[in-house]
Amino acid sequence: MSFQNGFFHHNLQFSRSFTKKLNEQLAKVDLYHSQWSIVYYLSQFGCSTLVEISTYLDVEKPTVTRTVNRLEELELIEQVPGKDKRERRIQLTDSGLRTYQEAKKVVEEFELQLMSGLAEEDREATLRTLIFLKEKLKQ
């Protein structure tokens, strides 16, 4: 198996397995990974537009809109009036902040479990490699 074919295949397999296992863990706090991504983004960057979120997550705006609507139904986010009425700005509610804190613990524990047995220098190399590859994809 060549490097390119092996990398592609293993990356897809890892991505699917990672998302599935992450969803199993996030179920403890009644979230899915797509919802967690938005909750995490809002916790880090504060009040934002759907365009800002979709750009950061590199997903289509309708996908973000569906997830945001669900988070709104769960009362984890709320709309905030913007300068332009066409612009939809959202932020975490108090309940959303509490859910973020709970989910953050779940995700950190999941990451620690996943990375256990991997030497610290390998963890750092893995993170550097992921960041490098993500940046290359943006070019």
Side-chain angles (χ1 to χ4, degrees), residues 13 29 41 57 65 71 89 94 96 104-105 114 124:
Q13 295 285 182
V29 291
Y41 176 89
L57 297 176
T65 300
L71 290 169
R89 298 188 64 76
D94 289 341
K104 182 179 177 211
K105 290 176 189 171
L114 183 62
E124 290 170 7

Side-chain angles (χ1 to χ4, degrees), residues 3 13-14 24 32-34 37 41 63 68 79 99 107 109 113 115 123 137:
F3 173 77
Q13 295 285 182
F14 173 79
E24 289 171 7
Y32 291 100
H33 85 280
S34 57
S37 296
Y41 176 89
T63 303
V68 162
Q79 288 191 46
T99 297
V107 170
E109 185 178 309
Q113 268 183 342
M115 301 293 265
R123 290 179 192 195
L137 289 172

Side-chain angles (χ1 to χ4, degrees), residues 6-87:
F7 176 79
F8 177 78
H9 172 76
H10 288 292
N11 182 54
L12 285 178
Q13 295 285 182
F14 173 79
S15 180
R16 288 184 179 141
S17 295
F18 181 86
T19 299
K20 180 181 177 195
K21 294 291 185 182
L22 181 59
N23 278 335
E24 289 171 7
Q25 295 302 307
L26 285 170
K28 297 173 185 174
V29 291
D30 297 321
L31 287 179
Y32 291 100
H33 85 280
S34 57
Q35 296 168 328
W36 164 247
S37 296
I38 292 173
V39 167
Y40 176 84
Y41 176 89
L42 291 172
S43 74
Q44 300 302 302
F45 299 101
C47 186
S48 302
T49 66
L50 301 186
V51 171
E52 291 167 338
I53 295 168
S54 67
T55 300
Y56 177 82
L57 297 176
D58 197 20
V59 295
E60 300 296 321
K61 188 174 172 266
T63 303
V64 170
T65 300
R66 280 191 301 275
T67 305
V68 162
N69 288 343
R70 181 68 182 129
L71 290 169
E72 209 166 15
E73 289 170 14
L74 296 169
E75 298 181 352
L76 299 179
I77 62 168
E78 61 190 357
Q79 288 191 46
V80 178
K83 298 173 190 168
D84 184 343
K85 291 186 182 208
R86 296 171 294 169
E87 182 179 75

Side-chain angles (χ1 to χ4, degrees), residues 115-133:
M115 301 293 265
S116 69
L118 197 57
E120 184 62 32
E121 59 269 11
D122 291 337
R123 290 179 192 195
E124 290 170 7
T126 300
L127 183 57
R128 278 193 315 274
T129 301
L130 288 173
I131 291 168
F132 172 81
L133 294 174

